[in-house]
Amino acid sequence: MRSLKIAPSILSADFSRLKDEIQAVEAAGADWLHVDVMDGHFVPNITIGPVVVEWVRKVTTIPVDVHLMITDPDKYAAEFIKAGADWVSIHPDTCANPCATLDKIHALGAKASIAVNPDVPLERVQGCFDHIDMILMMTVFPGFGGQAFIAEVLAKITEVRDLIDQQKRAIFIEVDGGIKTDNIARVVAAGGEIIVSGSGIFKTLNYGATIQQMRRAVGQA
Ligand code: DX5
Ligand code: ZN
C-alpha cells in the first residue's frame, strides 16, 4: 500500500497566529505543509510571497510544498526555492516551455511538479513526465480555499495512477481541493497519495483528531 501523506494548506489557517497554526498541524501529524501562492493574474486572488515562505521554513521541519498559481513561475521559482520550498508545483499554462521550467526547478535544488486543472486532459502534461517528481491533480479550480470537491476528477486520478504504474515511474500523485474526512477515502482509492486539505483541517476544532480521522478513513490509522 502507498503511504498516505497529509499536506494541510495554510491558506485556511489563522494568519495572525501562523507559527502556532503550523506547529499545531505538525504536532497533529501533518506530513507536508502546502503553501498556495496566488498572484491576482493567473487566479483572481492574491496570497503569499517568498517572504512568508522564508518564515514558514523557519518554524517547521516538514517539507514545504509550494503551489505556484502565478503567471510567471520562470521568474519567481528561484525566490521560493531560496526561501525554503522543497517542492514546487507549476501550472502548464503559465510558462512557454513547462518542461524547461521544471528542469530549472530541479537545477535550483527543489522537487518539481506539474498541476492539472479539473478541465485539463492528461495529454496536456504527459510530455513532461520525464521532468517531474509529482503531478498535482486539482479537484477544484485554483483560486480559493473552501470550494466544493469536483468528483468528476476522480476518474482522471485513476487514469494517471494507471499510467504511472504501467510506466513504472517514480511520480507522486498529489490531490488538491475540497478534500475532507468524508471524501478522502475516494481520493486515495482512485490513486492519490499526497492529500492537500485546507479548510478540511484548519476549519475544524481539533487538527489531531481530524488528521487521525482522515488516516482511519483510508485504513492507515
Ligand atoms: C486552491 C488551492 C488549494 C486550497 C485547498 O486554489 O490550491 O490548495 O487552498 O483548500 P481546501 O482544502 O479548503 O479546498
Ligand atoms: Zn494548492
Side-chain angles (χ1 to χ4, degrees):
M1 199 197 288
R2 285 175 298 275
S3 84
L4 168 74
K5 286 189 173 57
I6 306 268
S9 162
I10 60 169
L11 190 57
S12 292
D14 176 346
F15 274 71
S16 71
R17 301 187 299 106
L18 190 54
K19 177 184 174 183
D20 295 346
E21 291 274 72
I22 289 169
Q23 292 180 343
V25 285
E26 190 173 344
D31 300 291
W32 291 11
L33 211 60
H34 186 81
V35 180
D36 287 306
V37 175
M38 306 183 188
D39 66 351
H41 291 277
F42 178 60
V43 289
N45 194 7
I46 301 178
T47 58
I48 293 164
V51 177
V52 175
V53 171
E54 204 178 323
W55 286 102
V56 166
R57 176 75 283 166
K58 286 183 184 159
V59 298
T60 188
T61 56
I62 58 178
V64 174
D65 171 35
V66 170
H67 178 189
L68 293 181
M69 288 160 274
I70 63 175
T71 49
D72 202 348
D74 276 305
K75 184 170 171 193
Y76 294 105
E79 278 187 59
F80 284 96
I81 295 165
K82 197 162 154 249
D86 300 290
W87 290 80
V88 176
S89 295
I90 58 158
H91 282 258
D93 297 343
T94 59
C95 25
N97 182 347
C99 298
T101 306
L102 293 158
D103 288 347
K104 186 172 163 189
I105 290 167
H106 278 142
L108 290 161
K111 300 279 192 190
S113 152
I114 196 144
V116 183
N117 275 358
D119 60 349
V120 170
L122 285 179
E123 292 72 51
R124 173 82 180 83
V125 296
Q126 253 172 275
C128 287
F129 274 19
D130 285 336
H131 305 260
I132 54 174
D133 307 289
M134 183 165 83
I135 184 162
L136 170 53
M137 303 298 292
M138 295 301 302
T139 41
V140 296
F141 284 91
F144 299 92
Q147 302 183 78
F149 179 76
I150 302 173
E152 287 71 24
V153 180
L154 287 168
K156 201 167 44 171
I157 296 171
T158 302
E159 199 185 324
V160 75
R161 173 86 272 157
D162 290 346
L163 215 56
I164 287 169
D165 290 351
Q166 276 159 18
Q167 299 180 0
K168 295 190 173 31
R169 289 181 183 271
I171 297 175
F172 283 128
I173 300 177
E174 181 174 51
V175 187
D176 183 9
I179 304 175
K180 298 187 165 48
T181 52
D182 62 356
N183 58 9
I184 188 170
R186 285 196 288 160
V187 174
V188 172
E193 51 198 336
I194 319 285
I195 305 299
V196 176
S197 178
S199 51
I201 292 174
F202 282 108
K203 301 296 183 203
T204 65
L205 289 177
N206 183 333
Y207 305 159
T210 303
I211 291 176
Q212 261 311 105
Q213 215 178 320
M214 287 176 160
R215 293 197 197 283
R216 264 202 307 274
V218 306
Q220 290 194 36

